[in-house]
Amino acid sequence: MGFAFFFFVAWLVIAGFTLMKKRLTLVENTVLLLLILIINIHWSWIIFEELKLIKISKQPVNYTAFLIQRSVTIPLIVVITMNLMRQSASRLRTLLMASLSVLLLEAFVLIGRYFGITRAVRWHMIYDVAYFALLHVIAYYFLKYFQHSGQGRSEAERA
């Protein structure tokens, strides 16, 4: 059941990202997606495999659901949030969008635990919230740096 749920969520996130009006360029979206993907894969490897703070299910279907969550859903939700934050006029609305994104990601983690995809050993859910919030902060400031360096937008788009 967990695989079906996370496959459906990944499908919805991909469809939403494809259909949404993007405020970031193709290059910015791609670089941001790859950055978040790399950070997320390394983080999960350290936490799950090296430190063994969280156990992953040994069942192939549940492990595949974990991989879908880690490699598709989390990075794309962060990129979607950055696109939505870009069009936001106020800081409060930007903060609200990031907070809702973090809560949504945490809800997916809790659903994964419910379905037996992951099991916390020496881990608390506040660590996940802190990680997801830090992931958003990294994405936000990397995007600012990338745009400031002049690589994000073409001359016509900056004018």
Side-chain angles (χ1 to χ4, degrees):
M1 185 68 185
F3 174 78
F5 175 78
F6 283 111
F7 184 82
F8 180 69
V9 167
W11 184 84
L12 282 178
V13 169
I14 291 169
F17 179 71
T18 303
L19 297 174
M20 75 180 286
K21 183 176 181 183
K22 295 169 195 67
R23 297 294 179 173
L24 302 174
T25 65
L26 177 65
V27 172
E28 290 169 339
N29 279 316
T30 304
V31 169
L32 191 60
L33 179 69
L34 291 175
L35 173 76
I36 299 303
L37 181 64
I38 289 168
I39 291 171
N40 202 34
I41 287 173
H42 282 83
W43 168 265
S44 66
W45 179 262
I46 292 169
I47 297 301
F48 291 88
E49 301 297 332
E50 296 296 326
L51 298 177
K52 303 207 184 296
L53 297 175
I54 300 174
K55 298 284 185 190
I56 306 170
S57 175
K58 301 286 186 207
Q59 296 175 351
V61 173
N62 283 343
Y63 190 76
T64 305
F66 165 74
L67 292 177
I68 289 171
Q69 165 86 1
R70 180 195 73 185
S71 303
V72 177
T73 308
I74 293 173
L76 269 178
I77 287 177
V78 173
V79 172
I80 288 171
T81 304
M82 291 301 124
N83 274 283
L84 293 174
M85 287 170 58
R86 172 80 182 207
Q87 70 188 19
S88 177
S90 70
R91 294 260 186 221
L92 181 62
R93 184 172 169 169
T94 300
L95 190 60
L96 180 65
M97 278 188 265
S99 300
L100 289 176
S101 176
V102 168
L103 289 176
L104 179 67
L105 291 171
E106 182 59 28
F108 290 151
V109 167
L110 294 175
I111 291 169
R113 288 188 188 155
Y114 173 77
F115 285 124
I117 295 169
T118 58
R119 182 175 57 86
V121 177
R122 294 180 311 242
W123 195 256
H124 194 273
M125 68 185 259
I126 196 71
Y127 301 149
D128 285 324
V129 172
Y131 168 66
F132 292 137
L134 184 63
L135 202 59
H136 282 76
V137 169
I138 290 170
Y140 180 79
Y141 282 109
F142 176 78
L143 195 56
K144 288 275 190 194
Y145 168 76
F146 191 72
Q147 291 169 345
H148 181 60
S149 70
Q151 298 178 21
R153 301 208 171 265
S154 66
E155 289 297 324
E157 290 175 322
R158 278 186 253 145

